[in-house]
Structures are given as C-alpha cells and as structure tokens.
Amino acid sequence: MKSTILIAHEYGAPDVLEYTQQTLQPLALGNARIQVKAAGINPIDARRMTGEFKHAALPQTFGTEYAGIIVEVDETQHTWKVGDEVLGSGGAFTHASVIDVPLANLVKKPQNIDWAVAGSLAGAAQTAMTIFDEIGDIQSLLVHGGSGGVGSIVVQLAVEKGIDVVATASSANQAYIKKLGATAVVYGDGLIERLKQIHPTQFDASIDLSGTEEATQAALAMVKTNGFMGTIAGKKVSSTQIRPVWVKRNLANLQHVVTGVSEGRFHWEVSREYPFEQAQSAYSDILSGHTKGKSVLIFN
C-alpha cells in the first residue's frame, strides 16, 4: 500500500512543504494501518517547518494527531478490526494519507463527532490534561492564550473542576472565552492592572500557552509565592520560575476529553479546514497567528 506524505527537505517558509509517495513496509506487530480522514495542525508543526524548533533530522514529516479508518491491523489482537473508525496520536507522523500507529494509541471515534473534530482532538486534549496532572489541586488559575486549541480545553477542564479561571485573549475572542466559562481579559498593555481589577487576590497557578514576555511578567505578578507557573509554548522564558510542561500521552486522559465532547459537556472549535492538497496555505495561516480553536487537514 502507498501513502502520500507531507515532507520538508529543508527548513523555511511553507513553500518548503512537498508531497511524496512511499510504499509502506509490512505492518508491524502491535500496530494498525489507518486511512486518514482528518489530521489536526498545531503551532509546533509550523515551528518545526521553519526550523525554530528542531527535534528531528531532515527531511522531516509532520503531524501528531489524526482520525481515520483501520484498513489493516495486527491480527494477533482481538480488540480492533478493519473498518473501525478511530482517532488518536500518531506514530512517526500524521500528515499523510495512510499511516501506521501503535494500537496502544487508538480511541474509538464516537459516531456523533465529525472527522474534523475527531482528527484534531488528541494533541490538545492530552496536553491540557497533562497540565492539570502537573498543577495538582488548585482553586484559581490564570490562562494566557485561552482561545486556542489547548487553551479552549484547559479553560473548560478548569470549569469542570470548579476552578476559578481567568483567561487572556484578543479583543475579538473575549465572547468566546466567556462562552467557555472563564472570565475574559484582553492581553496587551496594562494587562497586570486589568487582572488585579477583576481578580484582586493572587492565583494558585498560571499556564502560558502563548510564549510571550507579557505572559511571564503577569504570572510573576499574579501567582502566589510557591504557586505553579508553567508554559507549554516551548520558548525560552526570562524567569526560571516558569516551568516547561511537556505533553504526556495518556489514553485515559484522551478518552475523558473525547467522551466530554461526544456528550456535549465540552465545546470543541474547528475554525479552519483545508484539503490536504492545500497544506502550504494551512501552515502559512498557522504562522500568521491562530488564536481560536484548531486548524485541520481534510483527506478525500
């Protein structure tokens, strides 16, 4: 079986992205072969493309999440079968027409979740759940960048836990933050003063999803001494008090969010859908600023 794979042989702007056809090797034990229907695009994909964030040798492939249909499966197991609709985290990449993924990464796709939503769940869901695993029990939380893919579910998980949550976003996304259940604040000049007005007491924790110096300074000013201050942005920060948080794949965590979306307890926003053939445009839009929900590649 052949797969069309998105690949880059050098770092740079989206025009470095190209498509290559590869004949897949025989399916390994413990894996499933998936015909991809949708695959989320995350900022880290675009940052890897430009070379800002390097963790693999060239040429590089992209994507960490997907939804699709099993077309071949390890026959030594009896949980999954050909034709099952699934979602999850990928193996080596997910921006491709056919991929091989570990069986341990599979979650059944609920029938009432469309492909675009299903294909964009795994990365943000597990990142958001990892944040709460790291933070522990808290009563109040400041979220920097609450309208993006991870931010949106962090806000809703906080609300579910009964946490008093305040989230920053652009002026255009204030109504969206309020819809998710948080107190909304516009980022930009004067942020700390605005935060003090709406939340006079210090927060138990903060999480930075934007990677800005403003977020760092607001956390230092607004979080209690010995409170948790973390970032998932993967960028250098000016204070050692801001702890990097790296996603841990956890099937139970993913299933919690998938079930919540399926049951209508969590809102999941897909703001942009692109045919796989327009991946360059999708990556270009990610680089220009993606602040509401998720972007998704759709496969015919």
Side-chain angles (χ1 to χ4, degrees):
M1 183 176 291
K2 291 186 176 181
S3 177
T4 301
I5 301 169
L6 189 68
I7 195 168
H9 289 88
E10 58 184 312
Y11 299 115
D15 59 7
V16 302
L17 297 174
E18 56 187 272
Y19 301 92
T20 184
Q21 270 212 340
Q22 291 185 8
T23 299
L24 299 175
Q25 297 296 313
L27 186 66
L29 291 176
N31 281 259
R33 183 156 290 169
I34 309 295
Q35 177 189 349
V36 179
K37 301 292 287 184
I41 317 167
N42 293 299
I44 190 65
D45 295 313
R47 292 172 62 199
R48 288 180 54 232
M49 175 192 69
T50 64
E52 177 191 350
F53 192 87
K54 299 176 182 177
H55 70 240
L58 293 170
Q60 60 178 333
T61 50
F62 304 91
T64 58
E65 58 196 3
Y66 70 91
I69 301 169
I70 295 178
V71 293
E72 186 179 348
V73 67
D74 176 1
E75 295 180 352
T76 65
Q77 57 78 48
H78 304 287
T79 302
W80 303 100
K81 64 183 185 300
V82 171
D84 284 346
E85 297 182 351
V86 296
L87 62 89
S89 301
F93 51 85
T94 65
H95 293 175
S97 60
V98 182
I99 59 175
D100 291 350
V101 301
L103 293 171
N105 292 0
L106 297 180
V107 169
K108 183 178 180 181
K109 185 186 87 68
Q111 288 298 310
N112 66 337
I113 294 181
D114 67 26
W115 286 114
V117 170
S120 63
L121 277 168
Q126 292 182 98
T127 301
M129 291 292 287
T130 298
I131 288 167
F132 286 100
D133 288 345
E134 294 286 324
I135 289 176
D137 294 330
I138 57 171
Q139 299 299 314
S140 59
L141 175 66
L142 173 59
V143 179
H144 296 287
S147 62
V150 177
S152 299
I153 195 62
V154 165
V155 167
Q156 293 177 87
L157 287 168
V159 171
E160 179 187 49
K161 294 173 181 292
I163 296 169
D164 175 18
V165 56
V166 175
T168 69
S170 67
S171 57
N173 287 321
Q174 295 294 290
Y176 179 60
I177 293 293
K178 294 174 183 176
K179 176 183 176 180
L180 299 179
T183 300
V185 181
V186 178
Y187 56 67
D189 291 346
L191 173 61
I192 293 174
E193 288 70 25
R194 289 192 294 276
L195 288 170
K196 288 179 177 177
Q197 288 177 0
I198 66 167
H199 202 278
T201 59
Q202 290 188 303
F203 292 90
D204 293 332
S206 71
I207 185 68
D208 170 25
L209 315 177
S210 58
T212 64
E213 180 62 19
E214 176 186 69
T216 295
Q217 294 305 316
L220 294 171
M222 295 300 301
V223 176
K224 296 175 181 177
T225 302
N226 298 323
F228 180 95
M229 293 180 284
T231 178
I232 68 160
K235 299 180 180 180
K236 291 182 179 180
V237 292
S238 60
S239 172
T240 56
Q241 296 182 63
I242 310 296
R243 295 169 47 186
V245 177
W246 303 104
V247 62
K248 297 180 177 67
R249 288 183 179 175
N250 181 303
L251 215 59
N253 281 348
L254 175 56
Q255 186 66 67
H256 177 79
V257 176
V258 170
T259 300
V261 173
S262 176
E263 294 177 350
R265 292 184 287 108
F266 298 144
H267 171 75
W268 198 268
E269 184 88 8
V270 173
S271 60
R272 299 169 182 169
E273 298 181 24
Y274 303 83
F276 182 43
E277 296 78 12
Q278 295 178 15
Q280 288 188 357
S281 295
Y283 276 63
S284 179
D285 288 346
I286 287 282
L287 288 175
S288 68
H290 178 69
T291 57
K292 187 178 179 181
K294 292 296 294 283
S295 292
V296 185
L297 295 173
I298 302 297
F299 297 73
N300 294 324

